[in-house]
Amino acid sequence: VTLHLNPISSVHIHQKPLVFILNSPLPLVWKLKMERLAPGIRRVFFVSLGSVVQFEKGNFSLSAETEEKLFPERNEHLLQWAQKEYGAVTSFTELKISRNIYIKVGE
């Protein structure tokens, strides 16, 4: 699955830390395509067990962290876990089948 990350239109270059929880019932290769995200900013990608993250453009892997994690099975419990860990969730998306996911980041 390719995850496309771009800032919202009102932000020229996104310069804030980000945390993503990428959960799947089956192990996946998450390919990241990031545009207009400042290098050197901390970005954390939690993935379900057996999944991996690949960075396709630029060398964002130097400032990104990836960690495999056993997540709660149900989405409601996953959302509660994320809120408890990080205090807020700004976006939650559930997809049954997808090859490309487009996410706009920003305020």
Side-chain angles (χ1 to χ4, degrees), residues 73-97:
E73 285 187 32
R74 298 185 54 181
N75 284 338
E76 304 84 45
H77 298 139
L78 179 60
L79 186 57
Q80 289 171 354
W81 173 83
Q83 289 172 326
K84 182 180 176 185
E85 288 289 314
Y86 296 99
V89 173
T90 57
S91 177
F92 184 92
T93 303
E94 177 185 9
L95 303 167
K96 296 293 183 193
I97 297 175

PDB file of all heavy atoms in Angstrom, residues 73-97:
ATOM      1  N   GLU A  73      -7.549  -5.316  18.436  1.00  0.00           N
ATOM      2  CA  GLU A  73      -8.179  -5.848  17.224  1.00  0.00           C
ATOM      3  C   GLU A  73      -9.289  -4.960  16.672  1.00  0.00           C
ATOM      4  O   GLU A  73      -9.404  -4.783  15.479  1.00  0.00           O
ATOM      5  CB  GLU A  73      -8.734  -7.244  17.487  1.00  0.00           C
ATOM      6  CG  GLU A  73      -7.652  -8.292  17.556  1.00  0.00           C
ATOM      7  CD  GLU A  73      -8.215  -9.695  17.643  1.00  0.00           C
ATOM      8  OE1 GLU A  73      -9.306  -9.944  17.079  1.00  0.00           O
ATOM      9  OE2 GLU A  73      -7.562 -10.534  18.274  1.00  0.00           O
ATOM     10  N   ARG A  74     -10.109  -4.400  17.525  1.00  0.00           N
ATOM     11  CA  ARG A  74     -11.247  -3.614  17.050  1.00  0.00           C
ATOM     12  C   ARG A  74     -10.865  -2.144  16.915  1.00  0.00           C
ATOM     13  O   ARG A  74     -10.089  -1.619  17.703  1.00  0.00           O
ATOM     14  CB  ARG A  74     -12.417  -3.785  18.009  1.00  0.00           C
ATOM     15  CG  ARG A  74     -12.863  -5.267  18.064  1.00  0.00           C
ATOM     16  CD  ARG A  74     -14.069  -5.459  18.879  1.00  0.00           C
ATOM     17  NE  ARG A  74     -15.130  -4.561  18.397  1.00  0.00           N
ATOM     18  CZ  ARG A  74     -16.316  -4.497  18.948  1.00  0.00           C
ATOM     19  NH1 ARG A  74     -16.600  -5.230  19.991  1.00  0.00           N
ATOM     20  NH2 ARG A  74     -17.209  -3.665  18.477  1.00  0.00           N
ATOM     21  N   ASN A  75     -11.460  -1.493  15.919  1.00  0.00           N
ATOM     22  CA  ASN A  75     -11.133  -0.087  15.659  1.00  0.00           C
ATOM     23  C   ASN A  75     -11.440   0.823  16.835  1.00  0.00           C
ATOM     24  O   ASN A  75     -10.707   1.767  17.103  1.00  0.00           O
ATOM     25  CB  ASN A  75     -11.855   0.408  14.408  1.00  0.00           C
ATOM     26  CG  ASN A  75     -11.204  -0.092  13.150  1.00  0.00           C
ATOM     27  OD1 ASN A  75     -10.029  -0.453  13.158  1.00  0.00           O
ATOM     28  ND2 ASN A  75     -11.948  -0.131  12.072  1.00  0.00           N
ATOM     29  N   GLU A  76     -12.535   0.547  17.554  1.00  0.00           N
ATOM     30  CA  GLU A  76     -12.875   1.390  18.700  1.00  0.00           C
ATOM     31  C   GLU A  76     -11.771   1.323  19.761  1.00  0.00           C
ATOM     32  O   GLU A  76     -11.394   2.328  20.348  1.00  0.00           O
ATOM     33  CB  GLU A  76     -14.199   0.943  19.344  1.00  0.00           C
ATOM     34  CG  GLU A  76     -15.390   0.900  18.418  1.00  0.00           C
ATOM     35  CD  GLU A  76     -15.490  -0.402  17.631  1.00  0.00           C
ATOM     36  OE1 GLU A  76     -15.322  -1.499  18.202  1.00  0.00           O
ATOM     37  OE2 GLU A  76     -15.731  -0.310  16.412  1.00  0.00           O
ATOM     38  N   HIS A  77     -11.246   0.119  19.974  1.00  0.00           N
ATOM     39  CA  HIS A  77     -10.176  -0.050  20.962  1.00  0.00           C
ATOM     40  C   HIS A  77      -8.863   0.555  20.478  1.00  0.00           C
ATOM     41  O   HIS A  77      -8.098   1.113  21.263  1.00  0.00           O
ATOM     42  CB  HIS A  77      -9.995  -1.530  21.303  1.00  0.00           C
ATOM     43  CG  HIS A  77     -11.213  -2.140  21.925  1.00  0.00           C
ATOM     44  ND1 HIS A  77     -11.661  -3.393  21.610  1.00  0.00           N
ATOM     45  CD2 HIS A  77     -12.107  -1.644  22.828  1.00  0.00           C
ATOM     46  CE1 HIS A  77     -12.759  -3.662  22.299  1.00  0.00           C
ATOM     47  NE2 HIS A  77     -13.059  -2.601  23.035  1.00  0.00           N
ATOM     48  N   LEU A  78      -8.611   0.462  19.173  1.00  0.00           N
ATOM     49  CA  LEU A  78      -7.415   1.078  18.603  1.00  0.00           C
ATOM     50  C   LEU A  78      -7.479   2.599  18.768  1.00  0.00           C
ATOM     51  O   LEU A  78      -6.502   3.237  19.163  1.00  0.00           O
ATOM     52  CB  LEU A  78      -7.280   0.717  17.130  1.00  0.00           C
ATOM     53  CG  LEU A  78      -6.088   1.313  16.390  1.00  0.00           C
ATOM     54  CD1 LEU A  78      -4.769   0.879  17.012  1.00  0.00           C
ATOM     55  CD2 LEU A  78      -6.139   0.925  14.918  1.00  0.00           C
ATOM     56  N   LEU A  79      -8.625   3.173  18.509  1.00  0.00           N
ATOM     57  CA  LEU A  79      -8.810   4.615  18.657  1.00  0.00           C
ATOM     58  C   LEU A  79      -8.639   5.036  20.119  1.00  0.00           C
ATOM     59  O   LEU A  79      -7.960   6.029  20.409  1.00  0.00           O
ATOM     60  CB  LEU A  79     -10.192   5.026  18.136  1.00  0.00           C
ATOM     61  CG  LEU A  79     -10.500   6.505  18.089  1.00  0.00           C
ATOM     62  CD1 LEU A  79      -9.488   7.266  17.255  1.00  0.00           C
ATOM     63  CD2 LEU A  79     -11.908   6.732  17.532  1.00  0.00           C
ATOM     64  N   GLN A  80      -9.201   4.278  21.033  1.00  0.00           N
ATOM     65  CA  GLN A  80      -9.032   4.577  22.466  1.00  0.00           C
ATOM     66  C   GLN A  80      -7.561   4.491  22.874  1.00  0.00           C
ATOM     67  O   GLN A  80      -7.073   5.331  23.625  1.00  0.00           O
ATOM     68  CB  GLN A  80      -9.867   3.612  23.309  1.00  0.00           C
ATOM     69  CG  GLN A  80     -11.356   3.851  23.213  1.00  0.00           C
ATOM     70  CD  GLN A  80     -12.163   2.742  23.883  1.00  0.00           C
ATOM     71  OE1 GLN A  80     -11.620   1.740  24.334  1.00  0.00           O
ATOM     72  NE2 GLN A  80     -13.475   2.930  23.925  1.00  0.00           N
ATOM     73  N   TRP A  81      -6.854   3.489  22.363  1.00  0.00           N
ATOM     74  CA  TRP A  81      -5.427   3.335  22.671  1.00  0.00           C
ATOM     75  C   TRP A  81      -4.644   4.554  22.172  1.00  0.00           C
ATOM     76  O   TRP A  81      -3.821   5.119  22.893  1.00  0.00           O
ATOM     77  CB  TRP A  81      -4.886   2.047  22.038  1.00  0.00           C
ATOM     78  CG  TRP A  81      -3.411   1.919  22.172  1.00  0.00           C
ATOM     79  CD1 TRP A  81      -2.718   1.449  23.241  1.00  0.00           C
ATOM     80  CD2 TRP A  81      -2.427   2.308  21.201  1.00  0.00           C
ATOM     81  NE1 TRP A  81      -1.360   1.512  22.990  1.00  0.00           N
ATOM     82  CE2 TRP A  81      -1.161   2.034  21.749  1.00  0.00           C
ATOM     83  CE3 TRP A  81      -2.496   2.858  19.907  1.00  0.00           C
ATOM     84  CZ2 TRP A  81       0.023   2.288  21.063  1.00  0.00           C
ATOM     85  CZ3 TRP A  81      -1.319   3.108  19.233  1.00  0.00           C
ATOM     86  CH2 TRP A  81      -0.083   2.827  19.803  1.00  0.00           C
ATOM     87  N   ALA A  82      -4.916   4.968  20.941  1.00  0.00           N
ATOM     88  CA  ALA A  82      -4.210   6.115  20.360  1.00  0.00           C
ATOM     89  C   ALA A  82      -4.495   7.394  21.143  1.00  0.00           C
ATOM     90  O   ALA A  82      -3.585   8.196  21.390  1.00  0.00           O
ATOM     91  CB  ALA A  82      -4.603   6.284  18.893  1.00  0.00           C
ATOM     92  N   GLN A  83      -5.740   7.590  21.547  1.00  0.00           N
ATOM     93  CA  GLN A  83      -6.088   8.782  22.326  1.00  0.00           C
ATOM     94  C   GLN A  83      -5.394   8.766  23.682  1.00  0.00           C
ATOM     95  O   GLN A  83      -4.923   9.793  24.154  1.00  0.00           O
ATOM     96  CB  GLN A  83      -7.602   8.886  22.501  1.00  0.00           C
ATOM     97  CG  GLN A  83      -8.309   9.260  21.215  1.00  0.00           C
ATOM     98  CD  GLN A  83      -9.814   9.178  21.323  1.00  0.00           C
ATOM     99  OE1 GLN A  83     -10.367   8.328  22.017  1.00  0.00           O
ATOM    100  NE2 GLN A  83     -10.495  10.058  20.600  1.00  0.00           N
ATOM    101  N   LYS A  84      -5.319   7.609  24.293  1.00  0.00           N
ATOM    102  CA  LYS A  84      -4.646   7.488  25.591  1.00  0.00           C
ATOM    103  C   LYS A  84      -3.146   7.749  25.452  1.00  0.00           C
ATOM    104  O   LYS A  84      -2.552   8.463  26.263  1.00  0.00           O
ATOM    105  CB  LYS A  84      -4.884   6.095  26.169  1.00  0.00           C
ATOM    106  CG  LYS A  84      -4.270   5.880  27.526  1.00  0.00           C
ATOM    107  CD  LYS A  84      -4.560   4.479  28.039  1.00  0.00           C
ATOM    108  CE  LYS A  84      -3.848   4.245  29.359  1.00  0.00           C
ATOM    109  NZ  LYS A  84      -4.001   2.869  29.830  1.00  0.00           N
ATOM    110  N   GLU A  85      -2.533   7.213  24.401  1.00  0.00           N
ATOM    111  CA  GLU A  85      -1.089   7.366  24.188  1.00  0.00           C
ATOM    112  C   GLU A  85      -0.695   8.792  23.798  1.00  0.00           C
ATOM    113  O   GLU A  85       0.342   9.289  24.207  1.00  0.00           O
ATOM    114  CB  GLU A  85      -0.599   6.405  23.089  1.00  0.00           C
ATOM    115  CG  GLU A  85      -0.556   4.960  23.492  1.00  0.00           C
ATOM    116  CD  GLU A  85       0.547   4.654  24.482  1.00  0.00           C
ATOM    117  OE1 GLU A  85       1.694   5.098  24.279  1.00  0.00           O
ATOM    118  OE2 GLU A  85       0.255   3.959  25.476  1.00  0.00           O
ATOM    119  N   TYR A  86      -1.519   9.442  22.964  1.00  0.00           N
ATOM    120  CA  TYR A  86      -1.135  10.724  22.365  1.00  0.00           C
ATOM    121  C   TYR A  86      -2.041  11.891  22.724  1.00  0.00           C
ATOM    122  O   TYR A  86      -1.777  13.018  22.326  1.00  0.00           O
ATOM    123  CB  TYR A  86      -1.023  10.571  20.846  1.00  0.00           C
ATOM    124  CG  TYR A  86       0.090   9.618  20.505  1.00  0.00           C
ATOM    125  CD1 TYR A  86      -0.169   8.297  20.200  1.00  0.00           C
ATOM    126  CD2 TYR A  86       1.416  10.026  20.570  1.00  0.00           C
ATOM    127  CE1 TYR A  86       0.851   7.406  19.942  1.00  0.00           C
ATOM    128  CE2 TYR A  86       2.435   9.147  20.322  1.00  0.00           C
ATOM    129  CZ  TYR A  86       2.157   7.840  20.008  1.00  0.00           C
ATOM    130  OH  TYR A  86       3.173   6.966  19.766  1.00  0.00           O
ATOM    131  N   GLY A  87      -3.123  11.636  23.444  1.00  0.00           N
ATOM    132  CA  GLY A  87      -3.971  12.719  23.899  1.00  0.00           C
ATOM    133  C   GLY A  87      -4.984  13.202  22.883  1.00  0.00           C
ATOM    134  O   GLY A  87      -5.987  13.797  23.243  1.00  0.00           O
ATOM    135  N   ALA A  88      -4.731  12.947  21.605  1.00  0.00           N
ATOM    136  CA  ALA A  88      -5.661  13.391  20.567  1.00  0.00           C
ATOM    137  C   ALA A  88      -5.430  12.563  19.308  1.00  0.00           C
ATOM    138  O   ALA A  88      -4.335  12.076  19.069  1.00  0.00           O
ATOM    139  CB  ALA A  88      -5.449  14.861  20.249  1.00  0.00           C
ATOM    140  N   VAL A  89      -6.481  12.431  18.526  1.00  0.00           N
ATOM    141  CA  VAL A  89      -6.389  11.804  17.215  1.00  0.00           C
ATOM    142  C   VAL A  89      -6.995  12.795  16.233  1.00  0.00           C
ATOM    143  O   VAL A  89      -8.143  13.206  16.391  1.00  0.00           O
ATOM    144  CB  VAL A  89      -7.154  10.458  17.177  1.00  0.00           C
ATOM    145  CG1 VAL A  89      -7.198   9.898  15.761  1.00  0.00           C
ATOM    146  CG2 VAL A  89      -6.519   9.460  18.137  1.00  0.00           C
ATOM    147  N   THR A  90      -6.222  13.204  15.242  1.00  0.00           N
ATOM    148  CA  THR A  90      -6.722  14.211  14.303  1.00  0.00           C
ATOM    149  C   THR A  90      -7.379  13.597  13.081  1.00  0.00           C
ATOM    150  O   THR A  90      -8.137  14.259  12.390  1.00  0.00           O
ATOM    151  CB  THR A  90      -5.596  15.151  13.847  1.00  0.00           C
ATOM    152  OG1 THR A  90      -4.549  14.371  13.276  1.00  0.00           O
ATOM    153  CG2 THR A  90      -5.057  15.951  15.021  1.00  0.00           C
ATOM    154  N   SER A  91      -7.084  12.329  12.806  1.00  0.00           N
ATOM    155  CA  SER A  91      -7.685  11.681  11.649  1.00  0.00           C
ATOM    156  C   SER A  91      -7.709  10.177  11.877  1.00  0.00           C
ATOM    157  O   SER A  91      -6.756   9.609  12.404  1.00  0.00           O
ATOM    158  CB  SER A  91      -6.867  12.009  10.390  1.00  0.00           C
ATOM    159  OG  SER A  91      -7.400  11.332   9.266  1.00  0.00           O
ATOM    160  N   PHE A  92      -8.813   9.547  11.478  1.00  0.00           N
ATOM    161  CA  PHE A  92      -8.939   8.096  11.585  1.00  0.00           C
ATOM    162  C   PHE A  92      -9.624   7.621  10.318  1.00  0.00           C
ATOM    163  O   PHE A  92     -10.722   8.083   9.989  1.00  0.00           O
ATOM    164  CB  PHE A  92      -9.765   7.720  12.819  1.00  0.00           C
ATOM    165  CG  PHE A  92      -9.848   6.231  13.043  1.00  0.00           C
ATOM    166  CD1 PHE A  92      -8.921   5.590  13.858  1.00  0.00           C
ATOM    167  CD2 PHE A  92     -10.839   5.468  12.444  1.00  0.00           C
ATOM    168  CE1 PHE A  92      -8.981   4.224  14.065  1.00  0.00           C
ATOM    169  CE2 PHE A  92     -10.907   4.103  12.656  1.00  0.00           C
ATOM    170  CZ  PHE A  92      -9.978   3.478  13.464  1.00  0.00           C
ATOM    171  N   THR A  93      -8.992   6.718   9.590  1.00  0.00           N
ATOM    172  CA  THR A  93      -9.555   6.223   8.341  1.00  0.00           C
ATOM    173  C   THR A  93      -9.509   4.708   8.331  1.00  0.00           C
ATOM    174  O   THR A  93      -8.483   4.114   8.663  1.00  0.00           O
ATOM    175  CB  THR A  93      -8.750   6.765   7.135  1.00  0.00           C
ATOM    176  OG1 THR A  93      -8.744   8.186   7.190  1.00  0.00           O
ATOM    177  CG2 THR A  93      -9.351   6.315   5.828  1.00  0.00           C
ATOM    178  N   GLU A  94     -10.610   4.102   7.939  1.00  0.00           N
ATOM    179  CA  GLU A  94     -10.657   2.647   7.780  1.00  0.00           C
ATOM    180  C   GLU A  94     -10.966   2.341   6.321  1.00  0.00           C
ATOM    181  O   GLU A  94     -11.922   2.867   5.753  1.00  0.00           O
ATOM    182  CB  GLU A  94     -11.748   2.045   8.663  1.00  0.00           C
ATOM    183  CG  GLU A  94     -11.886   0.555   8.475  1.00  0.00           C
ATOM    184  CD  GLU A  94     -13.049  -0.045   9.249  1.00  0.00           C
ATOM    185  OE1 GLU A  94     -13.865   0.724   9.807  1.00  0.00           O
ATOM    186  OE2 GLU A  94     -13.156  -1.267   9.288  1.00  0.00           O
ATOM    187  N   LEU A  95     -10.132   1.511   5.718  1.00  0.00           N
ATOM    188  CA  LEU A  95     -10.333   1.109   4.329  1.00  0.00           C
ATOM    189  C   LEU A  95     -10.288  -0.404   4.241  1.00  0.00           C
ATOM    190  O   LEU A  95      -9.440  -1.038   4.873  1.00  0.00           O
ATOM    191  CB  LEU A  95      -9.240   1.704   3.432  1.00  0.00           C
ATOM    192  CG  LEU A  95      -9.117   3.224   3.465  1.00  0.00           C
ATOM    193  CD1 LEU A  95      -7.825   3.661   2.819  1.00  0.00           C
ATOM    194  CD2 LEU A  95     -10.302   3.851   2.768  1.00  0.00           C
ATOM    195  N   LYS A  96     -11.180  -0.982   3.468  1.00  0.00           N
ATOM    196  CA  LYS A  96     -11.202  -2.441   3.309  1.00  0.00           C
ATOM    197  C   LYS A  96     -10.127  -2.904   2.329  1.00  0.00           C
ATOM    198  O   LYS A  96      -9.399  -3.831   2.590  1.00  0.00           O
ATOM    199  CB  LYS A  96     -12.586  -2.913   2.839  1.00  0.00           C
ATOM    200  CG  LYS A  96     -13.684  -2.634   3.839  1.00  0.00           C
ATOM    201  CD  LYS A  96     -13.506  -3.454   5.091  1.00  0.00           C
ATOM    202  CE  LYS A  96     -14.672  -3.207   6.041  1.00  0.00           C
ATOM    203  NZ  LYS A  96     -14.433  -3.702   7.360  1.00  0.00           N
ATOM    204  N   ILE A  97     -10.060  -2.253   1.172  1.00  0.00           N
ATOM    205  CA  ILE A  97      -9.063  -2.605   0.159  1.00  0.00           C
ATOM    206  C   ILE A  97      -8.596  -1.307  -0.489  1.00  0.00           C
ATOM    207  O   ILE A  97      -9.399  -0.501  -0.934  1.00  0.00           O
ATOM    208  CB  ILE A  97      -9.664  -3.517  -0.932  1.00  0.00           C
ATOM    209  CG1 ILE A  97     -10.123  -4.844  -0.320  1.00  0.00           C
ATOM    210  CG2 ILE A  97      -8.641  -3.778  -2.033  1.00  0.00           C
ATOM    211  CD1 ILE A  97     -10.845  -5.752  -1.291  1.00  0.00           C
TER     212      ILE A  97
END
